[in-house]
Amino acid sequence: MSGVSAGLLLTTLSFPTHLPGVVSWWSSHSAFAQSPQKQQPLQLHLKAEKQILTKNQQGKQQVTWQALKGQAQVKPGDRLRYTVTGENTSDRPLKNLTLNQSIPNGMVYVLKSANINNQDAKITYSIDGGRSFVENPIIKVTLTDGKVETKPAPATAYTHIRLQVPSIAAKAVVTATYQTQVR
């Protein structure tokens, strides 16, 4: 039903996983961006959590996040939060990190849910399968009178998120999150 992947454009690294209703997941998956010759200075981690809604004793709704481990089950309407962490393990800054995250099939991006802990970072989105990225995707809509108007793209049109980080300091960690909802 859906899949997750993280790709680092500097060395191209991916973590493929499928969420077909019953999810085979990893508990704390980490990988090193590396070439056969030597280890690269960026360590990437990807984790997913399922939103759990409960009510407290006063009847107020509370939101918690449960890590997806082993055989996790998701159903239509469930909200998932993905966290991508990049750790610079070197003694010098890393420049121009670009990380593309696809919105898995069977999932819809939750608008305005993407955040990153680096104030200089830029978050952009694709609605064309990752061929182009903009901050605020728009679509053209033909009205009943034949006129064409541009409107903000609906959440269902989003296919990718791109995180661009100009610099990660030595020994620093950059963390980004975004949410999707199961169709």
Side-chain angles (χ1 to χ4, degrees), residues 24-87:
S24 175
W25 205 257
W26 60 90
S27 59
S28 176
H29 191 358
S30 65
F32 290 92
Q34 58 186 353
S35 68
Q37 311 306 333
K38 66 178 192 170
Q39 181 176 324
Q40 297 295 316
L42 183 68
Q43 183 178 0
L44 292 175
H45 300 276
L46 175 65
K47 74 175 184 175
E49 301 165 297
K50 179 179 165 181
Q51 184 182 63
I52 306 296
L53 301 174
T54 57
K55 290 193 177 186
N56 65 15
Q57 292 177 353
Q58 293 77 31
K60 287 183 119 179
Q61 186 169 318
Q62 292 184 303
V63 176
T64 57
W65 295 93
Q66 178 183 57
L68 292 179
K69 297 179 182 179
Q71 294 293 316
Q73 293 187 19
V74 297
K75 61 185 182 308
D78 283 348
R79 191 175 280 201
L80 303 180
R81 177 174 66 185
Y82 297 92
T83 302
V84 180
T85 305
E87 180 182 0

Side-chain angles (χ1 to χ4, degrees), residues 73-135:
Q73 293 187 19
V74 297
K75 61 185 182 308
D78 283 348
R79 191 175 280 201
L80 303 180
R81 177 174 66 185
Y82 297 92
T83 302
V84 180
T85 305
E87 180 182 0
N88 180 356
T89 59
S90 76
D91 293 326
R92 28 175 233 239
L94 296 177
K95 304 283 185 192
N96 301 319
L97 173 69
T98 298
L99 183 67
N100 289 335
Q101 281 290 122
S102 65
I103 304 301
N105 291 331
M107 306 293 277
V108 175
Y109 172 66
V110 175
L111 294 174
K112 301 185 188 234
S113 68
N115 293 296
I116 190 163
N117 70 343
N118 182 304
Q119 68 184 21
D120 296 325
K122 183 176 179 182
I123 302 173
T124 55
Y125 307 92
S126 177
I127 59 172
D128 62 7
R131 289 184 298 278
S132 64
F133 289 83
V134 295
E135 287 184 52

Side-chain angles (χ1 to χ4, degrees), residues 111 125-128 134 136-143 147-159:
L111 294 174
Y125 307 92
S126 177
I127 59 172
D128 62 7
V134 295
N136 298 302
I138 57 170
I139 58 170
K140 292 182 180 179
V141 178
T142 304
L143 305 175
K147 290 184 182 178
V148 176
E149 227 177 58
T150 59
K151 294 189 174 196
T156 55
Y158 284 58
T159 61

